[in-house]
Amino acid sequence: MANSWRHERWDSLRLLTPNWQSQVPGLRYEGPDPDGYMSVEEVAGFIDRFAAASRAPVRTGVEVTSVRRAGDGGYQVVTSGGEFSCRAVVIASGACNRPTVPALASAVPGPVEQFTTFDYRSPGSLPEGGVLVVGASATGVQLAAEIQRSGRPVTLSVGEHTRLPRTYRGHDVLWWMDAAGVWDQRYDELEDLDRARRLPSPQLVGTPERMTLDLNALTDAGVQLVGRWAAVRDGRALFSGGLRNVFSLADLKANRLLDTFDEWALTSGRDGEFGAPTRMEPTRVPATSRLQLDLGSGEIRSVVWATGYRPDYGWLDVPVVDAKGHLEHDGGVVTGSPGLYALGLPVLRRRKSTFIYGIEDDARDVIGYLSKHLDGLRAVSVD
Ligand SMILES: Cc1cc2nc3c(=O)[nH]c(=O)nc-3n(C[C@H](O)[C@H](O)[C@H](O)COP(=O)(O)OP(=O)(O)OC[C@H]3O[C@@H](n4cnc5c(N)ncnc54)[C@H](O)[C@@H]3O)c2cc1C
């Protein structure tokens, strides 16, 4: 139960979503700190409580090793706990089963140790000395901050990213996204669904002080920013230039989102409830940013890949996964394989689909399709 939260997260991680947003059908946070952020153990406990309250017939500690189509139109599921014949299957195996590491990792010279977010637990997991953190989304900025605090000088390689303030006009930024209806935007109403599904996670951290952890905060902490890691040549890491453009794009998008919140406050007649609108200070571009780093010089002792996650469908013996490893589906109804459904993937049916509190609405919709499918099968067998 709660396997990914117990075994695949680093020690200091707290949810990005405030406690009031941790809600699943029949269970919501009712503790003393609705605006706080759960630790990894608290999330695991929350999921345990949900399992107990829902009394769903969950078999824990069982691995699914194969799902294939059966001759009767259903599915044959092979698990470490036996075989099952099913009329329908819901794939809820998660969007983050494996860390994504770019191919250039194989060219990093041997003495530099490499870590993914699945091996990393705390700065003590790393050798002493300089650390190159790759990726400046939620994971990368959080790890860069805590590794820098541990006394290991951090260089952070920054590509496209999503900048957000932790709070805005007195409320958590995720409260604003909820109130302004951003989380509820449906997959079939978005202009560019592919892009929405690939958006980097926001630069956010859950701390008691509700601090904003953006690139300016990291620069103030002494982290050195470099561009996207483009190649390794002759033992040197080569980084893209153009940080100014990358930063201004992220600033522009962040301020556009704040515009959306302000518009919502005005149109909903609630503007007077909040403090005055503000805008974020532009991301400061370093006076000089290095375009290369000699990985053999000893300056960098380890690399931490915070370059995202991907699902793992190695066990799915149905041809519904595209060349990039993504499940082909329309709002959770798997394409070309009746009776196969999915939940918990990015923008599956709404922007909030991969969040704990996003699952309820999606599950209701997907279960609707699933029951229609089962009704259809029943009607056929009665005929
Ligand atoms: C670093 C990080 C931070 C996050 N922060 C937040 C946050 O602040 N707020 C929030 O709401 N969400 C957050 N999320 C997203 C969060 O993971 C989801 O909200 C939630 O865990 C999704 O639940 P899930 O059941 O869909 O997937 P998961 O939690 O990934 O669970 C999938 C389960 O399926 C199991 N599984 C996979 N393959 C098989 C197989 N073949 N056989 C048997 N079991 C299998 C896995 O072991 C796992 O237990 C975060 C995710 C990550 C990676």
Side-chain angles (χ1 to χ4, degrees):
M1 198 72 68
N3 178 63
S4 63
W5 286 99
R6 286 189 213 283
H7 302 294
E8 295 166 3
R9 307 282 188 260
W10 58 96
D11 296 347
S12 66
L13 177 67
R14 286 185 172 267
L15 287 188
L16 305 177
T17 39
N19 290 333
W20 60 264
Q21 234 176 10
S22 287
Q23 42 182 275
V24 282
L27 185 69
R28 55 186 59 227
Y29 177 86
E30 278 170 356
D33 186 16
D35 293 324
Y37 308 92
M38 284 187 200
S39 67
V40 169
E41 300 83 64
E42 286 166 338
V43 180
F46 181 78
I47 294 170
D48 283 345
R49 282 202 297 290
F50 175 55
S54 71
R55 292 206 255 146
V58 177
R59 298 184 195 207
T60 57
V62 176
E63 188 187 358
V64 174
T65 53
S66 161
V67 171
R68 59 177 189 276
R69 275 195 201 124
D72 61 0
Y75 294 90
Q76 195 63 20
V77 178
V78 183
T79 79
S80 55
E83 284 203 28
F84 301 83
S85 295
C86 313
R87 285 173 297 160
V89 172
V90 181
I91 300 171
S93 49
C96 303
N97 308 115
R98 297 268 176 274
T100 306
V101 176
L104 59 81
S106 60
V108 173
V112 175
E113 290 184 47
Q114 299 188 50
F115 296 81
T116 69
T117 45
F118 278 31
D119 324 311
Y120 174 90
R121 286 288 167 273
S122 64
S125 330
L126 306 175
E128 292 297 334
V131 183
L132 176 56
V133 175
V134 191
S137 291
T139 302
V141 295
Q142 291 182 29
L143 299 193
E146 76 171 15
I147 296 168
Q148 178 76 23
R149 274 198 305 273
S150 79
R152 293 165 179 81
V154 171
T155 305
L156 177 64
S157 167
V158 182
E160 186 197 355
H161 56 276
T162 306
R163 186 182 185 204
L164 284 184
R166 179 72 267 184
T167 56
Y168 182 63
R169 300 179 70 185
H171 283 276
D172 196 288
V173 71
L174 301 187
W175 178 90
W176 281 98
M177 305 238 319
D178 189 46
V182 177
W183 286 135
D184 282 325
Q185 286 170 356
R186 287 176 52 101
Y187 79 111
D188 46 6
E189 290 166 2
L190 295 175
E191 245 170 54
D192 188 346
L193 177 60
D194 281 347
R195 166 126 191 86
R197 286 183 168 157
R198 282 186 286 105
L199 272 186
S201 60
Q203 289 173 336
L204 284 178
V205 64
T207 62
E209 310 77 36
R210 301 165 94 193
M211 73 171 286
T212 292
L213 184 57
D214 57 8
L215 297 178
N216 285 348
L218 289 173
T219 300
D220 291 342
V223 170
Q224 218 186 105
L225 306 181
V226 294
R228 191 185 162 79
W229 191 347
V232 179
R233 202 165 302 141
D234 303 328
R236 290 176 168 269
L238 308 185
F239 305 105
S240 311
L243 277 183
R244 186 176 299 280
N245 288 346
V246 177
F247 291 0
S248 22
L249 188 64
D251 291 352
L252 183 80
K253 286 196 278 186
N255 284 328
R256 260 198 220 140
L257 188 65
L258 302 185
D259 290 343
T260 311
F261 299 161
D262 293 338
E263 270 162 42
W264 169 80
L266 283 169
T267 50
S268 63
R270 295 185 59 180
D271 195 53
E273 290 177 33
F274 314 112
T278 54
R279 288 296 170 263
M280 299 185 80
E281 180 206 351
T283 306
R284 296 194 299 273
V285 184
T288 51
S289 112
R290 297 162 82 181
L291 293 176
Q292 47 178 287
L293 235 164
D294 181 358
L295 294 170
S297 69
E299 179 187 346
I300 297 294
R301 301 291 311 282
S302 57
V303 171
V304 178
W305 297 104
T307 30
Y309 303 87
R310 61 188 167 85
D312 178 6
Y313 299 117
W315 46 272
L316 184 59
D317 298 317
V318 186
V320 289
V321 178
D322 69 16
K324 289 192 172 157
H326 300 299
L327 193 69
E328 292 172 334
H329 68 93
D330 180 5
V333 179
V334 175
T335 315
S337 198
L340 202 52
Y341 302 91
L343 282 171
L345 298 178
V347 200
L348 182 104
R349 297 190 64 80
R350 295 169 177 81
R351 278 205 196 267
K352 63 183 178 184
S353 293
T354 29
F355 285 105
I356 292 169
Y357 100 123
I359 200 67
E360 182 168 1
D361 288 343
D362 277 11
R364 195 177 303 109
D365 293 348
V366 167
I367 299 307
Y369 289 111
L370 187 150
S371 358
K372 270 195 207 131
H373 174 72
L374 295 183
D375 289 348
L377 292 183
R378 263 184 231 113
V380 170
S381 63
V382 170
D383 293 348

